[in-house]
Structures are given as structure tokens and as C-alpha cells.
Amino acid sequence: MERYNFKTVEDKWQEKWQKARVFRSKVDHSKEKFYCLEMFPYPSGKIHMGHVRNYTIGDVLSRYKTLQGFNVMHPMGWDAFGMPAENAARENNLDPKEWTNKNIATMKEQLKKLGLSIDWDREISTCSEEYYKHQQLFFLELYEKGLVYRKENYVNWDPIDQTVLANEQVIDGKGWRSGAIVERKKLNQWFFNISKFSQELLDGLNELKQWPNKVKVMQKNWIGKSFGCEIAFKTEGSLPVKEIKCFTTRPDTLFGFSFLAVSVDHEISKHYLEDKKFQEFKKECSKTGTTEEAIAIGEKIGFKTDLVAINPLNPSQKVPVFFANFVLMDYGFGAVFGCPAHDQRDFDFAKKYDLDIKTVVKPNDANDNFEVKDEAYTGPGSLINSEFLNNLKVPDESILKTIDILEERKIGQKKINFRLKDWGVSRQRYWGCPIPMAYDKDGNVTTIPKKDLPVKLPENVDLNTKGNPLDAKTDWKNIIIDGKKFTRETDTLDTFVCSSWYYLRFCSSNNSEYGYKQEEIDYWMPVDQYIGGVEHAILHLLYSRFFMKALGYKNENFKFKEPFDGLFTQGMVCHETYKDKNNNWLSPDEIELIGNQFYKKGDHNHKVQVGPSESMSKSKKNVIDPAKIIKNYGADAVRLFILSDSPPEKDVQWSEQGMVASYKFLQKLWILHNKIKEKIKIENDQNLENENLKKFTNQMINKITNNLEAFNYNVIIANIYEIYNFINKIIDKEINGKILKQSYKKILILISPVVPHYSTECLSDLKILENVEWPKTDKSLLVEDKIDYVIQINGKKRAILNENRDIDQDSLMNKIKLNKLSEKYLKDKSIKKIIFVKNRLINLLINE
RNA sequence: GCCCUCGUGGUGAAAUUGGUAGACACAAAGGACUUAAAAUCCUUGCCAUUUAUGGAGUGCCAGUUCGAGUCUGGCCGAGGGCACCA
């Protein structure tokens, strides 16, 4: 027997699969389809362990579904536009396209080495004209439907590099490259009207039964629906301002009104342009962090205006108007009414500026003298100190009733607000999809005629210019449409646009006429299982959901509302971190273990500090290169290990020891295979283990099938080990060769989604590679004749009796009486009560 | 601050509807084989006296139940999300 040579075996089968194009998928209405999609990678250079985990999970599922008889589509592509290409190209004086395509070639080879069942005929790359020309047409279609518009918006502006920065490029308020202090600058930008679909996007979440709840909650919070009322407050003072509109979810607390606060960007701020103190205050506000957390904990500050606002329900009450740092311009009207007693933020503010705190809600168990003291009361109860609103139940009745009254008196109006903002898609970058728009000399917008699509991204662009390289490319920028001069839009699209519809493109990746073919998306869509990282829980997944709705808007051919029927978010791959004595990160390759202590490789005086296990990242150098690992241990062993240690939705700890164990296990399995191969030849009627083997195999079919369906992939690996342990124990006993062969074939199929090369090799070795399909559980075989009955006395387990199935209570009691435990526990005791659970246990309650 | 999730051996983790807690693996210790080592195989796993046996035991405290890792309430701890959201 030769040892298992993964290299020969894996190369052989990968080549055969590729030649026979076994993973090619076609529309076939005679079969039920299954569309399995993993989030496509950014072509950064080489694959990382996160990809290995993500694509292994998807591959196990695809192979399982194929064996079950589904018509499976399992495509792969490249999210190929984006800043890293532009940065790498600039640093190394390369063409971003070349850089990207080279990376794609490398990564494709690496993915192939994993033995993934991918239909490479459907491969797409978002940076190809063939892809982005359809995207430009979609853009124009959405523009025609009124779902695309242009408006001014703030950006992070780097004054030295003359460029717009993404949030992650701003470090401590400075540009990451230039170090210049980042400015807020207003630019005209393109927007997708995603907020038009706020309610639909929210409602759609209820239909997504196979999505993790966590993701749905995150999206729900992001969409942020709130029900309330808009109120116009009359104002008086030295400024020419007659009223200020506010949005509130708590109109019922209007009698607790004690100030009105507006954003520093509010319209009335134009009266303070010359006011130095106000401008200082505004600057101060911009210093406080903009995260929700920063402001919840941070200090609330205000700037008093010359205005007072009048309480519409109590016109004799006039309260001061402030600018305040906790009021946002882009939500509601950029103005709030303050009720300190029942809003913690307002409470903090009132304390600081010594404003009235009037209690108008009391908890249900408090009396009418209840008063808010140390913190705002935001819970339920009933209204007090509120004249004609008194005694209304808070919150539901009080809010609805107050809105009715406000509407009746024409002071306010019922209103639903969403926090979801429109999606700004303009990026002042070169390496992206050009926006098919142009401007005349007066700046009026026009669309590029559809016949002139695609607007090709120009080549040979100087990336070292300041600002957007496309802006400087005048021969590309200046165009003539119908004899008139125009300049092109030089912004490119956010790369999230590319990934918002790629799942549709896979259905028709070779259709050059349009982004998809109707009959093909009708067959394949929606994606049955989408798999990827939870970091895309909000933006990518919400944008994709929006894109489906936008394409379907005023388009009766569009039949499905949600792109991803099932979603699975896998955890990250982690590794210990290492630092040398100078506090520099070290990679696992740079260290060695002697005894219990890590040392720098080759320097046994240099101890290495071991840090916590964290998600693999280049900056911390705690990365393991999958290509190397695959080369050393083989794809099957890597697949086995990456699934084995933790549930796929949780983070997994990379362990070299675990990796080696998986590798060794396949070697052991191969030794067992050869024993089985010999045993199969023996015709034997004295078959002691036949029934056990049949039953065991059937149990495993049941377990593995259920675990696959539930994504318990780590348990499947445990099941595979159980299989080994079981067969290894019985293999030297007497077994009928025919029965062994039948069971073993089923077992090889069960493990094939995880270790496809190994399993195929074994099937081929035994010449049973024909008619391979997923085995079905025989329910009748799951029924055991003998059962371990748990005997409890006063709820404590005292013994286990192996007795016949379906035995009744009296018979079981008789067995117990014959048993020695009766002598020990039941002698001279009376049994008060017997709890008998059929085929499971019996619990005897006795007097102690 | 708000929202969500999760707490099980030295470690990663298993455990249909409440019904044998710790499957499976990693690590460790002891043993077998070996001149020796590696590899391989076996045993052990918390507390008590020795194989056997008994006890405690799923973050902590209560509750429901014949019976709770699982259900309910409170507390403690960890992780994740958050766009100042009125």
C-alpha cells in the first residue's frame, strides 16, 4: 500500500473536473435550481484564510445540493474596481488594470487549487467594459425613473492632495497620505434615492426567514423608522424668524417644554455669520465626535439665540431657543423641542443651562406628586401637569391623542421619519465605473446617449496629478454630442454599485445586449444561499436589496423582490499575535517554540511576547498564507481543518497543530480505505457486524444530512471522525463484503462535500464512481430494538438498564426489582410516585 | 448611553420537543511498543478513599418542574453593532 499522495490525487481530479466541465450550469426547467453564491473577492493579490473559509463553506453546500439532484449554479467573479488598485499603481508606477488583472490570474489559480466546484464559464470582473457598460445603462434607466439625482453634499477634503478622502482615510482629522488637516467641503454629487424605498426595505425584512436575526436587526436600526409629529413653533425676537419646525416622537410631553434647540447648520444660523462667538461655538461643535456613542456620553453644549419660542398648547409660555451640538441638520428639520424631564439628552442640557425641568409623565405606580430628580423618566405611565391631556396613558394613547389635538388646531401634523439617507454614489477617483453624464458650458446636465455606451475608462492616465486624474484628462473629458460641446462627468461610481447587481449578471454573464436575460433570471433568481462576512450586514446587503427594488420599479417583468433568499454570515479566521522585544509585530514564520517559550527564529536569547488571538491582518502580521498551506497539506486537509474547530458563524482560531491533525487523519483514513478494499473481496456468511454497520451508516446519513441543512459544519467533521472510529473498530471482525461495499460507498458520498478529491479517489479506486447520489435515511433503521433506560431515584440517575424497545412501565419496574439497585435504594422504602417516559427513562419518587 | 448576541473541562466545542452533560478534536499526564527517540496505539480527565463507588458540577442568585445547559425573573461578565436620529 502506498501512502496517500494528495498532490497527485488532487491535481488529477482537478484536471478531470476542468476538462469535463462538470461544474457548468445551464437553465434546465426539468430540475429544481439551487443558486449558491459567496461574496466575490476583491483582487488584492492573493487569497487569504477568510476566503478559504468562505468558499469552503459554499463549496460544501454546492456539492451537497448537486448530489441531492439540484441544478446548482455556483459562480465566481471579481469585485475589481476600487482604491487599492489606484494606490498600488501609483506607488509602483503601474496601470491599475494590469495590476488588477494580474492579481485576478493569481487568485484564480489559488482558488482552483482548493478544488472548488465553481462554474468558471460565468466568471465576471466588474472592471471590464463588458460588465460596467450594463451598469451605466442601469444608471440611465434609474435616472429616467427619477431614482437618481444630483445635490450638494459634504465630503472630507484633503487640501494638499486636492482630493476627497474616504472616512477610513481620515486619521485623527488628518489626511492619511499628506497629513493635512481635513476640511469639510461641499461638492455636487450623484445620489440614488434609496430613501424612497425605506418602508419597503423595512417590510421586506419580514420576508427574509433565512437571514440571521442579527443582520435584520442591524438593517432595521439603520433604516430607523420613527413615528411622530411635526410641529411649527411660533417664535419672537430681534431676528426676522417667525417660526421653527420641529419633528418629535413625543408630542405628548409638550407641556414639559422648556427650550428649543436647532442645529448649527440650521437656516437661522445665517443671521449669525458675522457673530465671532457663534462661529467659535460652531467650531467647538465640530470637534466633538460624530458617533452616536460619543455624543450620548459627551457633553451637551449650546449657544443661546435672540429668539424665544412659544408653546403652541400654552401660548403664555415662552422658552429660549439655542443652537445645540446634539441636534443634526440632516434628520427631521434640524430642530427639536426640549423636554428635560423625559429625555436624558434634554435633561443634561437643561441642567447645564439651568432650564426648567417640568415633570409631565408619572410611572404607573407613582402618585400625582411624582417629580423627575436625577435622571429623565422615559418609561410608560400617564400624563400629569398637562391640563386637558392629563391622565392619558403613556406612550400609545397619549401620543396619538396629542397628535389628533395638534392636527385639529392646525399646529402640527402626523409624520413618519426614516433615518435612512440617500446613497451618494459619486467618487472622485479614477479606478471606477464612469458615470454616463455630461454638462454643457452652463453646467446643465445631460445624459450620454445610450447608443454611445459604454463610456470607457480612458487608459494611460497620469495618476500622479493632484485631484481626480480624470479631471485632468481633457482629451477624454471634452466631448461633442449632436454637434454641441459638453464635458463629461469625471466622478466614477462607488464600487458598492458594482456589487449591488453582480448576482444578476452571473445568471447571464455572457449576454452582451443587456445586464441580464429575463428568462435566465426568472429561472435562477433569487439566490438561494448567499454566504459572506458579517461586515457587509448593512451597506452591501441593503444596497443590493435597494437595487432590486429600483430595477423592478415601474418594470412589471421583475418578479422577485428580494435578491437573497438565504443569508449566512461566517466568522473570521484568527491567529495569535507576536511581538519582539522592541514591540514590533512578528509573523508566525519569524518565531519558533522551544519548550513553552517562543523565541525569534535563530536567536534563542530573544524572547517573543505572545498576544491575544485576533482576526488575521497584514498590519499585525498574524497571517497564514493559504497557498503555502495547501501546498504542504493539500486542499482536502485544509478544507477539513477550516471547518472543524468552530461553528462556521463564529470566529475560528487557526492552529498549526489542528492543521497537522487533519492532514494525519486523511492518512489514517487512507490506511483504513485499503483495509476495507481487502475486506470487500471476502464473501462471508458469518457476518457478526453487518447489522451494526448498516444501522451505523444509516444513522450517519441522518446526522450528516441534518447537520448540513443546519450549517453545523463543525459537527459534520466530528461525524466524519466518528465514522473512522467506528469502522476502524469493526474492520478486523467478520463482515460481509457486499454489505461493507454498499455502506462504504454511502459513507464516501457523505464525506465528499468536505473532502471531494479524497472521496472521489476512493470511489474510483473501488470502481464505484458511477451513480453517485446523496443517500437517503431509512427511517425504519433508525429505530433501535434495545434502549438504554435511565433509572432515576428522586430525580437522580442511579443506573442504566438496556431493555427492549416499547417496554411498558410495569415490565420495566419488574426488571428494576430484579436488579441489585433495588436492594440498594428501594429496600424498606415506599414508592410515592412513578414518572415513566416511554423509551427514555423512569423516575421513582420515594420517601427517604 | 442605546440596541443585539453569548457565558458548558486546560483549550476549540457537542447535546431533536426540558429527559444519560462534556460527542468529536487539540493540549497535558501516565502506560504499551522501541536499545533509545520519533511515529503509532491504549488509559486518565473536577473533588473524595484504591479498580469499583459516591459527590459536586453548564457565569451568579432565585423560580417553574418528578426532572433545567435548555424555560421565567434578577444580577455579574464578555463580544458585536451604532449615522448626535429628537
Side-chain angles (χ1 to χ4, degrees):
Chain A
M1 187 202 94
E2 282 179 44
R3 65 192 280 279
Y4 178 66
N5 187 334
F6 70 82
K7 180 89 180 77
T8 329
V9 171
E10 292 183 357
D11 285 353
K12 176 173 87 184
W13 290 109
Q14 282 171 20
E15 205 189 312
K16 285 197 180 189
W17 292 333
Q18 182 163 350
K19 270 197 181 148
R21 296 166 90 183
V22 291
F23 306 122
R24 198 152 55 136
S25 47
K26 276 189 260 174
V27 170
D28 177 356
H29 290 281
S30 70
K31 280 170 126 184
E32 200 177 335
K33 64 96 185 181
F34 190 89
Y35 185 177
C36 178
L37 182 67
E38 299 103 344
M39 290 180 185
F40 63 166
Y42 178 80
S44 56
K46 47 189 185 177
I47 62 166
H48 55 70
M49 277 302 169
H51 294 131
V52 173
R53 196 171 192 210
N54 192 171
Y55 301 142
T56 301
I57 293 168
D59 198 53
V60 167
L61 181 64
S62 294
R63 287 176 178 272
Y64 162 63
K65 288 288 174 183
T66 303
L67 286 164
Q68 274 196 326
F70 285 90
N71 185 22
V72 171
M73 170 160 68
H74 186 207
M76 183 59 71
W78 310 95
D79 187 14
F81 272 137
M83 283 199 309
E86 214 167 314
N87 295 335
R90 196 177 288 121
E91 274 156 29
N92 306 315
N93 217 9
L94 292 165
D95 178 22
K97 190 175 184 176
E98 248 173 63
W99 183 85
T100 304
N101 286 335
K102 204 177 117 238
N103 289 346
I104 288 175
T106 311
M107 290 172 73
K108 190 172 171 182
E109 275 318 297
Q110 294 183 333
L111 287 183
K112 282 187 171 176
K113 288 246 184 308
L114 259 180
L116 303 176
S117 61
I118 282 167
D119 178 2
W120 286 105
D121 288 0
R122 292 181 185 268
E123 180 180 3
I124 56 173
S125 170
T126 57
C127 70
S128 69
E129 275 168 43
E130 202 29 61
Y131 186 84
Y132 69 66
K133 72 176 187 187
H134 305 296
Q135 188 163 310
Q136 291 175 344
L137 184 56
F138 287 147
F139 185 93
L140 293 180
E141 287 178 0
L142 299 196
Y143 183 70
E144 286 161 9
K145 291 181 192 177
L147 298 176
V148 178
Y149 67 96
R150 216 159 100 95
K151 75 167 183 192
E152 277 203 317
N153 196 45
Y154 285 108
V155 293
N156 301 313
W157 181 255
D158 184 322
I160 291 181
D161 281 354
Q162 295 280 299
T163 187
V164 174
L165 299 176
N167 283 332
E168 61 267 26
Q169 291 176 315
V170 181
I171 299 154
D172 295 331
K174 290 174 186 156
W176 65 315
R177 207 194 299 271
S178 69
I181 291 173
V182 172
E183 297 170 358
R184 280 180 93 204
K185 191 177 168 181
K186 264 191 171 176
L187 280 188
N188 253 314
Q189 298 187 281
W190 289 100
F191 282 82
F192 283 169
N193 191 0
I194 186 171
S195 62
K196 183 185 178 80
F197 298 92
S198 299
Q199 187 64 52
E200 271 186 69
L201 288 165
L202 186 64
D203 293 342
L205 292 173
N206 297 326
E207 310 301 315
L208 300 171
K209 305 276 187 253
Q210 296 180 64
W211 276 43
N213 210 38
K214 177 173 66 169
V215 174
K216 289 196 272 190
V217 169
M218 275 153 102
Q219 291 211 354
K220 192 180 164 206
N221 292 340
W222 196 261
I223 295 167
K225 182 180 182 176
S226 54
F227 172 81
C229 171
E230 66 173 79
I231 302 172
F233 288 85
K234 294 263 181 294
T235 55
E236 292 173 357
S238 56
L239 302 175
V241 176
K242 292 285 164 242
E243 70 172 35
I244 296 174
K245 268 190 184 176
C246 295
F247 172 74
T248 178
T249 53
R250 293 300 303 274
D252 55 332
T253 61
L254 206 43
F255 279 98
F257 186 38
S258 79
F259 66 94
L260 196 145
V262 301
S263 159
V264 290
D265 295 316
H266 192 271
E267 198 191 11
I268 70 167
S269 72
K270 71 184 177 201
H271 302 295
Y272 291 86
L273 286 176
E274 305 299 319
D275 187 326
K276 279 202 178 128
K277 278 189 177 161
F278 174 72
Q279 293 305 328
E280 261 170 45
F281 172 76
K282 199 172 163 179
K283 217 180 239 173
E284 190 63 32
C285 289
S286 67
K287 274 188 204 161
T288 39
T290 54
T291 66
E292 203 172 316
E293 186 193 358
I295 221 69
I297 302 167
E299 196 185 3
K300 306 341 176 240
I301 53 174
F303 182 92
K304 202 168 178 182
T305 69
D306 305 316
L307 293 169
V308 289
I310 297 160
N311 188 339
L313 294 182
N314 177 14
S316 64
Q317 190 198 8
K318 297 180 181 175
V319 304
V321 176
F322 287 85
F323 289 106
N325 65 340
F326 59 88
V327 184
L328 257 190
M329 195 53 225
D330 48 14
Y331 185 81
F333 300 100
V336 301
F337 90 76
C339 175
H342 305 291
D343 181 295
Q344 190 57 42
R345 214 175 20 213
D346 296 348
F347 183 88
D348 296 343
F349 191 78
K351 278 278 179 198
K352 185 170 170 79
Y353 293 99
D354 205 21
L355 304 165
D356 286 346
I357 299 174
K358 185 179 165 194
T359 305
V360 290
V361 179
K362 71 170 187 73
N364 288 321
D365 53 3
N367 63 30
D368 284 358
N369 301 325
F370 174 76
E371 252 182 71
V372 164
K373 283 261 163 58
D374 302 320
E375 57 176 353
Y377 178 73
T378 54
S382 55
L383 290 180
I384 53 170
N385 304 324
S386 297
E387 300 183 11
F388 49 90
L389 298 177
N390 277 344
N391 300 323
L392 290 176
K393 285 260 165 284
V394 175
D396 296 344
E397 187 194 28
S398 62
I399 292 173
L400 289 172
K401 187 85 190 184
T402 310
I403 293 175
D404 283 348
I405 292 170
L406 293 171
E407 283 190 331
E408 218 169 83
R409 300 189 183 182
K410 299 203 162 37
I411 300 164
Q413 214 177 349
K414 193 182 290 171
K415 195 169 170 169
I416 288 166
N417 245 343
F418 292 93
R419 67 198 289 215
L420 182 64
K421 292 176 197 163
D422 279 341
W423 175 15
V425 293
S426 294
R427 295 293 180 272
Q428 295 68 34
R429 307 270 165 209
Y430 165 69
W431 193 235
C433 170
I435 296 174
M437 291 293 190
Y439 307 93
D440 68 12
K441 62 180 184 348
D442 301 321
N444 296 312
V445 176
T446 191
T447 57
I448 301 291
K450 289 178 184 170
K451 64 174 170 52
D452 294 342
L453 294 185
V455 176
K456 292 186 187 175
L457 197 57
E459 296 186 9
N460 303 317
V461 163
D462 182 7
L463 294 174
N464 287 310
T465 53
K466 287 196 168 168
N468 183 352
L470 287 175
D471 229 7
K473 185 84 178 160
T474 45
D475 58 335
W476 176 81
K477 191 174 154 185
N478 296 318
I479 50 164
I480 297 194
I481 303 173
D482 297 334
K484 275 173 70 184
K485 280 186 180 173
F486 287 89
T487 56
R488 289 190 191 278
E489 168 65 69
T490 57
D491 286 353
T492 50
L493 287 173
D494 179 6
T495 56
F496 274 121
V497 179
C498 305
S499 54
S500 290
W501 68 282
Y502 79 112
Y503 51 88
L504 287 178
R505 186 64 191 162
F506 277 132
C507 302
S508 318
S509 50
N510 297 311
N511 184 34
S512 61
E513 268 88 72
Y514 196 64
Y516 56 84
K517 241 186 206 164
Q518 191 64 49
E519 60 269 31
E520 287 178 329
I521 61 167
D522 283 348
Y523 178 73
W524 290 112
M525 287 296 292
V527 173
D528 294 278
Q529 188 63 57
Y530 195 35
I531 306 166
V534 73
E535 67 272 20
H536 292 114
I538 298 172
L539 296 183
H540 164 58
L541 290 167
L542 194 66
Y543 291 157
S544 296
R545 296 182 59 222
F546 155 73
F547 221 84
M548 285 288 281
K549 295 189 192 309
L551 290 178
Y553 184 62
K554 297 184 182 169
N555 174 356
E556 61 278 8
N557 290 326
F558 234 74
K559 287 179 189 134
F560 20 85
K561 292 192 167 140
E562 292 289 338
F564 312 120
D565 205 29
L567 175 71
F568 188 86
T569 53
Q570 97 272 5
M572 292 181 295
V573 184
C574 300
H575 196 284
E576 277 179 337
T577 47
Y578 308 104
K579 277 185 173 178
D580 68 11
K581 62 184 175 195
N582 303 322
N583 234 17
N584 295 318
W585 299 107
L586 291 173
S587 78
D589 289 340
E590 295 171 302
I591 60 162
E592 62 186 315
L593 184 64
I594 299 162
N596 292 325
Q597 176 65 46
F598 281 107
Y599 294 90
K600 206 166 173 175
K601 217 171 224 175
D603 182 357
H604 294 178
N605 295 318
H606 195 142
K607 285 186 180 176
V608 169
Q609 253 184 291
V610 179
S613 182
E614 292 183 59
S615 156
M616 288 189 183
S617 78
K618 276 183 197 159
S619 62
K620 286 176 183 154
K621 290 179 113 183
N622 61 339
V623 287
I624 300 287
D625 180 11
K628 266 191 207 163
I629 297 286
I630 294 170
K631 193 161 177 267
N632 290 343
Y633 302 107
D636 283 339
V638 174
R639 294 164 64 110
L640 192 65
F641 172 68
I642 201 78
L643 297 177
S644 68
D645 267 12
S646 299
E649 70 275 12
K650 283 176 61 173
D651 288 354
V652 66
Q653 163 87 29
W654 181 268
S655 131
E656 189 76 22
Q657 275 158 333
M659 184 60 246
V660 171
S662 296
Y663 169 78
K664 283 183 183 167
F665 177 69
L666 280 182
Q667 295 292 342
K668 276 161 62 176
L669 214 50
W670 180 248
I671 294 168
L672 182 61
H673 167 79
N674 281 281
K675 279 189 188 172
I676 292 170
K677 195 176 166 185
E678 290 308 306
K679 202 85 177 183
I680 281 174
K681 293 174 188 162
I682 301 169
E683 292 284 334
N684 187 347
D685 288 334
Q686 293 173 300
N687 30 37
L688 290 169
E689 295 294 337
N690 292 347
E691 285 309 305
N692 284 342
L693 179 61
K694 266 197 205 162
K695 270 192 177 164
F696 176 79
T697 306
N698 191 58
Q699 267 170 22
M700 281 302 153
I701 294 170
N702 189 43
K703 278 190 187 176
I704 291 182
T705 306
N706 291 340
N707 285 329
L708 274 163
E709 293 292 339
F711 276 105
N712 296 331
Y713 288 5
N714 56 324
V715 188
I716 290 173
I717 309 306
N719 295 148
I720 294 176
Y721 276 93
E722 279 181 74
I723 289 172
Y724 171 84
N725 291 342
F726 179 86
I727 300 186
N728 199 41
K729 242 174 221 155
I730 63 159
I731 195 64
D732 295 324
K733 298 181 184 169
E734 288 172 348
I735 313 169
N736 179 301
K738 213 169 156 188
I739 287 171
L740 180 60
K741 192 172 175 181
Q742 281 170 0
S743 293
Y744 187 48
K745 180 174 182 182
K746 287 179 185 167
I747 282 167
L748 286 172
I749 296 169
L750 287 179
I751 70 172
S752 71
V754 179
V755 286
H757 312 86
Y758 173 82
S759 159
T760 312
E761 178 67 14
C762 292
L763 286 164
S764 161
D765 189 39
L766 300 176
K767 304 193 170 53
I768 45 174
L769 194 47
E770 304 300 314
N771 301 320
V772 165
E773 54 187 51
W774 195 254
K776 287 202 173 67
T777 308
D778 180 347
K779 291 246 166 71
S780 68
L781 276 180
L782 288 178
V783 179
E784 296 282 351
D785 304 330
K786 290 270 188 177
I787 286 180
D788 284 336
Y789 287 86
V790 178
I791 314 303
Q792 295 183 340
I793 290 167
N794 286 342
K796 276 199 171 134
K797 183 182 97 182
R798 291 300 178 192
I800 286 170
L801 292 185
N802 190 261
E803 295 297 340
N804 289 335
R805 178 178 187 80
D806 292 336
I807 192 171
D808 62 25
Q809 180 180 320
D810 292 344
S811 316
L812 188 60
M813 273 314 290
N814 285 335
K815 302 272 185 190
I816 291 169
K817 279 173 188 157
L818 293 173
N819 194 283
K820 64 180 177 191
L821 104 149
S822 163
E823 176 75 13
K824 192 165 173 188
Y825 292 103
L826 300 179
K827 202 179 174 190
D828 305 328
K829 303 276 165 65
S830 63
I831 297 176
K832 284 191 296 183
K833 195 178 173 185
I834 299 174
I835 290 109
F836 176 72
V837 183
K838 201 180 170 192
N839 293 328
R840 199 153 257 169
L841 60 73
I842 188 162
N843 188 4
L844 309 179
L845 303 185
I846 60 171
N847 288 318
E848 283 298 339

